[in-house]
């Protein structure tokens, strides 16, 4: 940081009030998110329609036809924001030059939303197109946005006020600004490319040569060349000084959906419907290599990371490829389908997740790094995961009809427990001696951990009703089972008898069940808009908590003072003795609902899985934190002050120095450190 910036920062501290440093939180205190896009078990009709990189190189955005736009951190693949709408269908996306906002074009309405990345707020909606947005591009200075619509119009928008500067009556499938912002290129459905002067829309050049739709246009970094991709399966390279065709690259056997220059301009990457990405050398017009993507559809988009080290392709899935040789580096997804189950290890070091894609993953809770990826079920849903009380074992079950158990010390598979008809729920007894499983036919099985033999079977109901949830009482004497037959049963384990049955779950069914830490209460969730608290000893109703949507998931905090309910669009914390209103209510980032929920044993964190292939780890609102502690060492001191000063002026998501989460390290963050200086030390 330059000295002038430092003087400005310190001087500003004197004039800014502390109250300005505190922003209202509209979502949980999210520590990290890992995710993907929901592909519905590899459905061909589920895919990414567009991908774009932020100019600062830190983030990329992906658009999926499940109605979401997701923003990811390039360096580690962490998901930083999900933008969801049940009223729109995003199709195209573009980053603003300052990387602070994105433009999202709708597939039907023709509207374009300008969304601020920091908080996901729509700051402007551009209306004028009457059909799908086919392409978007910001001018390099950020003053203008160009859009091509299925209505046969190209519009240039002034970003300061959202006014249309002019409209071009051309059916364009792709638009791009030159690096100097002086010209706008449009690839047309008639196979031509037209170059317009940005300032007034005057036609300057017409490039002809393609014999079918031009789906992609891209300027070289120096602005001297233009690459185009077409439905005629070719890529063409044009000299813009005179509009001449330099070369036609052939080799794709299907439509070329996208083209991109490497940051140094030496290469062109192309994405085709023939399931390949090809890289071409500009200097001698030769093919460097071909990437055969594993996807069933696409890729529809391709791009280079800002540093030029990686190529990213997007189709059915997102993939990162090493730019030098085309080797696969990593998938852009952590999950390919909904996250159905989450569980903390007893010591809180790990979070296990089970997904509809058939995977079990174990994450380090502190930094979200992957400890182990287990893929034991060959694509069958993983509906339940559970750690043993001593942390020595991790069990998982799902639609494959088996329960698998791993030893956590070396992640060796130690047991495969069969005889199920799809496993929906798992629970270890508090003493760790038994693992209990609930299947799709209302059967509960007890497995002895010492030798993994089946010792007891209980039947909750007759017929094909799944046991959605199982919970032991803290003393291990009782077991509660929640069944799709709309009932909850509590069993005395000494003799296997049912003590009582809870009914009255309206038109829905109890989806989760949990005992309070002191064993006094039983909590059920899943009924229409209600979570119910029952007296665990006799099954009488104590209290009901009204959730705005069906609370499929419920849990107690370890101290027993609060309960959590998670539904389709929100997540609430309640005082166990008060049902008039939640203590904390979160709605942001939960566009696809809470599918599973877990609380760490010390109550410091809670985690939930979502239908949109995302798992979230968040800090409990009751966890004591030291305001201003940048490095999270419990003490606000010189190190924290220096961290903020040296990061002063930086912008972005998930910056540790951004203490008030407004996506910029500024005066407000300095104030937080200064007014809390010495705290916790």
């Amino acid at each position: 940081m330059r000295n002038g910036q430092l003087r400005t920062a310190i001087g500003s501290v004197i004039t800014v009030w502390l109250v300005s440093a505190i922003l209202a939180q509209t979502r949980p205190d999210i520590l990290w998110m890992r995710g993907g896009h929901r592909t519905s078990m590899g459905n061909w009709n589920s895919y990414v329609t567009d991908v774009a990189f932020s100019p600062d190189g830190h983030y990329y955005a992906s658009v999926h036809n499940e109605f979401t736009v997701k923003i990811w951190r390039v360096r580690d693949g962490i998901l930083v924001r999900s933008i969801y709408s049940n009223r729109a269908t995003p199709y195209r996306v573009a980053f603003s030059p300052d990387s602070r906002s994105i433009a999202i074009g709708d597939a039907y309405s023709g509207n374009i939303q300008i969304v601020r990345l920091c908080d996901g707020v729509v700051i402007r909606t551009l209306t004028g197109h009457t059909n799908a947005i086919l392409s978007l591009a910001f001018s390099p200075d950020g003053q203008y946005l160009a859009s091509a619509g299925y209505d046969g119009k190209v519009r240039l928008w002034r970003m300061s006020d959202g006014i249309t500067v002019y409209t071009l009556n051309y059916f364009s499938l792709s638009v791009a600004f030159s690096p100097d912002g002086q010209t706008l290129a449009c690839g047309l459905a008639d196979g031509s490319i037209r170059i317009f002067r940005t300032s007034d829309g005057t036609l300057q050049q017409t490039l002809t040569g393609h014999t079918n739709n031009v789906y992609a246009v891209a300027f070289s970094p120096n602005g001297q060349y233009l690459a185009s991709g077409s439905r005629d399966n070719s890529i063409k390279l044009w000299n813009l000084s005179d509009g001449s065709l330099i070369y036609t690259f052939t080799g794709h056997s299907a439509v070329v959906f996208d083209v991109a220059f490497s940051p140094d301009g030496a290469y062109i990457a192309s994405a085709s419907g023939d399931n390949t990405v090809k890289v071409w050398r500009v200097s001698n017009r030769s093919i460097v290599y071909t990437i055969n993507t594993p996807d069933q559809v696409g890729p529809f988009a391709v791009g280079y990371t800002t540093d030029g080290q990686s190529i990213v392709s997007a189709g059915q899935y997102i993939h990162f490829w090493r730019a030098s040789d085309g080797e696969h580096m990593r998938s852009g997804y952590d999950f390919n389908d909904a996250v159905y189950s989450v569980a903390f290890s007893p010591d809180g070091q790990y979070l296990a997740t089970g997904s509809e894609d058939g995977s079990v993953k174990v994450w380090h809770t502190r930094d979200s790094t992957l400890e182990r990826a287990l893929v034991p079920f060959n694509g069958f849903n993983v509906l339940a995961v559970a750690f043993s009380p001593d942390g020595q074992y991790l069990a998982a079950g799902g639609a494959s009809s088996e329960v698998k158990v791993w030893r956590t010390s070396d992640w060796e598979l130690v047991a495969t427990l069969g005889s199920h008809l799809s496993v929906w729920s798992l629970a270890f007894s508090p003493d760790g001696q038994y693992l209990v499983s609930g299947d799709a036919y209302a059967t509960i099985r007890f497995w002895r951990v010492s030798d993994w033999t089946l010792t007891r079977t209980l039947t909750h109901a007759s017929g094909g009703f799944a046991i959605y949830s199982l919970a032991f009482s803290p003393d291990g004497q009782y077991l509660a089972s929640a069944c799709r037959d709309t009932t909850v049963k509590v069993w005395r384990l000494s003799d296997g008898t049912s003590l009582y049955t809870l009914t009255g779950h309206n038109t829905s069914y109890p989806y989760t069940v949990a005992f309070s830490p002191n064993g006094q209460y039983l909590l059920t969730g899943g009924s229409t808009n209600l979570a119910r608290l029952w007296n665990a000893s006799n099954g009488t109703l104590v209290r009901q908590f009204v959730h705005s949507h069906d609370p499929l998931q419920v849990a107690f905090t370890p101290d027993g003072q609060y309960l959590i309910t998670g539904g389709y669009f929100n997540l609430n914390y309640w005082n166990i003795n008060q049902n008039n209103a939640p203590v904390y209510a979160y709605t942001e980032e939960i566009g696809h609902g809470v599918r599973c929920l877990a609380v760490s044993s010390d109550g410091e964190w809670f985690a939930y899985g979502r239908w949109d292939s995302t798992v979230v780890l968040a800090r409990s609102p009751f966890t004591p934190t030291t305001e201003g502690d940048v490095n999270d060492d419990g003490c606000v001191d010189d190190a924290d002050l220096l961290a903020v000063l040296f990061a002063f002026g930086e912008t972005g998501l998930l910056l540790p120095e951004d203490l008030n989460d407004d996506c910029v390290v500024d005066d407000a963050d300095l104030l937080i450190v200064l007014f809390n200086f010495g705290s916790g030390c």
Side-chain angles (χ1 to χ4, degrees):
M1 186 180 64
R2 294 178 299 188
N3 291 335
Q5 289 178 303
L6 180 57
R7 287 195 298 270
T8 300
I10 296 175
S12 299
V13 170
I14 302 173
T15 60
V16 182
W17 293 96
L18 174 62
V19 68
S20 68
I22 303 174
L23 298 180
Q25 294 297 309
T26 59
R27 66 173 182 171
D29 182 8
I30 294 175
L31 301 181
W32 52 260
M33 293 186 290
R34 309 295 312 204
H37 282 293
R38 195 175 185 199
T39 61
S40 301
M41 295 297 290
N43 190 332
W44 285 30
N45 295 316
S46 180
Y47 48 81
V48 175
T49 61
D50 200 10
V51 65
F53 289 90
S54 63
D56 63 11
H58 296 321
Y59 310 102
Y60 68 96
S62 59
V63 185
H64 197 273
N65 65 348
E66 63 169 1
F67 316 130
T68 58
V69 176
K70 295 195 174 187
I71 313 298
W72 317 78
R73 197 161 62 191
V74 171
R75 64 179 172 86
D76 55 11
I78 280 184
L79 177 65
V80 296
R81 182 164 297 284
S82 298
I83 300 169
Y84 166 76
S85 175
N86 59 358
R87 298 178 300 278
T89 307
Y91 188 63
R92 292 289 184 245
V93 65
F95 275 92
S96 62
D98 63 6
S99 303
R100 295 189 180 187
S101 60
I102 57 172
I104 302 173
D106 191 71
Y108 295 105
S109 70
N111 292 340
I112 302 167
Q113 292 185 325
I114 310 300
V115 179
R116 188 168 55 216
L117 287 181
C118 183
D119 53 13
V121 170
V122 177
I123 56 180
R124 177 170 289 129
T125 299
L126 308 178
T127 58
H129 285 289
T130 58
N131 212 314
I133 302 300
L134 302 177
S135 185
L136 291 168
F138 277 97
S139 62
D141 59 9
Q143 294 187 40
Y144 302 104
L145 177 73
S147 59
Y150 197 74
D151 57 3
K153 309 288 186 183
V154 174
R155 289 179 178 269
L156 187 76
W157 309 84
R158 188 169 58 214
M159 296 311 299
S160 60
D161 54 13
I163 298 299
T164 299
V165 179
Y166 55 76
T167 301
L168 304 173
N169 294 313
Y170 291 95
F171 196 108
S172 175
L173 304 171
S174 52
V175 293
F177 282 97
S178 60
D180 61 8
Q182 298 300 304
T183 57
L184 174 68
C186 300
L188 304 187
D190 65 6
S192 69
I193 301 162
R194 301 196 181 230
I195 311 294
F196 301 92
R197 188 163 58 211
T198 300
S199 59
D200 57 10
T202 299
L203 179 63
Q204 295 187 306
Q205 285 180 308
T206 299
L207 311 178
T208 59
H210 283 296
T211 59
N212 213 318
N213 305 351
V214 177
Y215 278 107
V217 289
F219 283 91
S220 62
N222 61 12
Q224 296 180 21
Y225 307 108
L226 183 80
S228 57
S230 169
R231 191 179 181 86
D232 64 13
N233 304 351
S234 73
I235 302 103
K236 292 184 182 294
L237 182 65
W238 309 85
N239 188 327
L240 293 177
S241 63
D242 58 8
S244 62
L245 176 64
I246 299 174
Y247 192 75
T248 298
F249 299 91
T250 59
H252 283 298
S253 60
V255 54
V256 177
F257 288 113
D258 201 10
V259 294
F261 276 94
S262 60
D264 61 6
Y267 303 97
I268 297 171
S270 56
S272 171
D274 62 9
N275 297 101
T276 69
V277 170
K278 292 182 182 291
V279 174
W280 316 82
R281 184 176 287 107
V282 174
S283 61
N284 61 8
R285 281 67 118 178
S286 63
I287 187 167
V288 182
Y289 55 78
T290 297
I291 298 170
N292 294 295
T293 67
D295 301 352
Q296 294 173 309
V297 293
F300 299 113
V302 68
Y304 280 87
T305 54
T306 307
D307 61 9
Q309 299 298 305
S310 304
I311 293 173
V312 177
S313 65
Q316 190 176 22
Y317 306 104
I318 294 175
H319 300 281
F320 279 72
W321 313 89
R322 192 164 56 213
S324 61
D325 57 11
E327 286 297 310
H328 192 269
M329 298 173 65
R330 62 183 169 95
S331 170
Y333 293 173
D334 293 307
F335 303 103
N336 293 327
D337 281 298
V339 177
Y340 275 163
S341 48
V342 291
F344 284 98
S345 61
D347 60 8
Q349 293 188 37
Y350 301 112
L351 178 71
T353 58
S355 170
E356 188 178 359
D357 63 14
S359 70
V360 176
K361 291 185 170 70
V362 183
W363 309 90
H364 289 269
T365 50
R366 287 292 178 182
D367 59 8
S368 86
T369 55
L370 185 64
E371 164 68 16
R372 183 68 54 155
L374 307 166
V375 189
F377 296 111
N378 298 319
F380 289 99
N381 304 354
V382 179
L383 303 172
V385 291
F387 281 97
S388 60
D390 59 8
Q392 291 187 34
Y393 301 106
L394 171 65
S400 72
S401 79
E402 294 177 334
V403 173
K404 292 184 181 290
V405 184
W406 294 270
R407 187 172 51 226
T408 59
S409 59
D410 55 10
W411 301 109
E412 285 294 315
L413 182 67
V414 295
T416 297
L417 313 177
S419 304
H420 300 87
L421 291 170
S422 186
V423 179
W424 281 82
S425 51
L426 291 170
F428 279 93
S429 61
D431 60 10
Q433 293 187 33
Y434 295 96
L435 171 64
V436 181
S437 58
D439 73 8
Y441 277 75
T443 303
I444 303 166
R445 292 177 173 84
F446 287 72
W447 308 87
R448 190 165 51 216
V449 171
S450 60
D451 55 9
W452 305 109
T453 59
L454 180 65
T455 62
R456 174 186 286 177
T457 299
L458 302 175
T459 302
H460 184 114
S462 59
F465 296 105
I467 302 294
Y468 282 133
S469 182
L470 293 165
F472 279 93
S473 62
D475 60 11
Q477 296 185 35
Y478 305 98
L479 177 74
S481 56
C483 183
R484 194 175 180 178
D485 72 345
T486 76
T487 68
V488 171
K489 288 183 181 291
V490 174
W491 309 83
R492 186 170 55 217
L493 297 182
S494 60
D495 56 10
T497 60
S498 174
L499 292 183
Y500 55 81
T501 300
L502 304 178
T503 58
H505 289 90
N506 302 330
T507 58
S508 191
Y509 41 83
Y511 212 84
T512 48
V513 63
F515 279 95
S516 62
N518 62 7
Q520 184 177 354
Y521 301 110
L522 185 66
L523 180 64
T524 61
S527 300
T528 305
N529 290 60
L530 293 174
R532 288 182 168 92
L533 190 69
W534 311 82
N535 186 312
S537 62
N538 56 24
T540 58
L541 184 64
V542 177
R543 193 168 291 111
Q544 297 186 139
F545 300 85
V546 181
H547 200 91
S548 58
H549 298 84
D550 290 359
L552 296 179
Q553 301 299 319
V554 294
F556 283 97
T557 57
D559 60 10
Q561 297 183 41
Y562 302 93
L563 57 92
I564 313 172
T565 59
Y568 288 117
F569 294 101
N570 50 11
L571 188 147
N572 296 330
Y573 268 80
W574 306 80
N575 186 309
I576 194 172
N577 297 311
Q578 301 172 5
N579 61 355
N580 55 333
V583 180
Y584 290 93
Y586 303 121
T587 57
E588 212 253 359
E589 292 284 14
I590 311 178
H592 274 304
V594 177
R595 180 59 184 79
C596 49
L597 176 66
V599 182
S600 62
S601 59
D602 59 5
E604 182 178 350
W605 301 308
F606 65 96
Y608 55 92
R610 302 195 317 222
W611 290 98
D612 68 334
S613 307
T614 303
V615 63
V616 180
L617 180 71
R619 196 190 312 272
S620 164
F622 307 110
T623 299
T625 57
T626 304
E627 197 74 21
D629 183 15
V630 176
N631 58 8
D632 203 25
D633 65 354
C635 171
V636 183
D637 55 13
D638 296 331
D640 303 299
L641 181 61
L642 287 171
V644 173
L645 289 174
F646 280 99
F648 198 85
E650 289 190 17
T651 60
L653 301 167
L654 298 181
L655 297 173
E657 300 84 7
D658 178 24
L659 296 169
N660 61 356
D661 295 324
D662 66 350
C663 293
V664 59
V665 182
D666 57 9
D667 305 324
D669 303 299
L670 278 173
L671 280 171
I672 292 175
V673 175
L674 291 174
F675 277 87
N676 291 281
F677 200 84
S679 298
C681 303

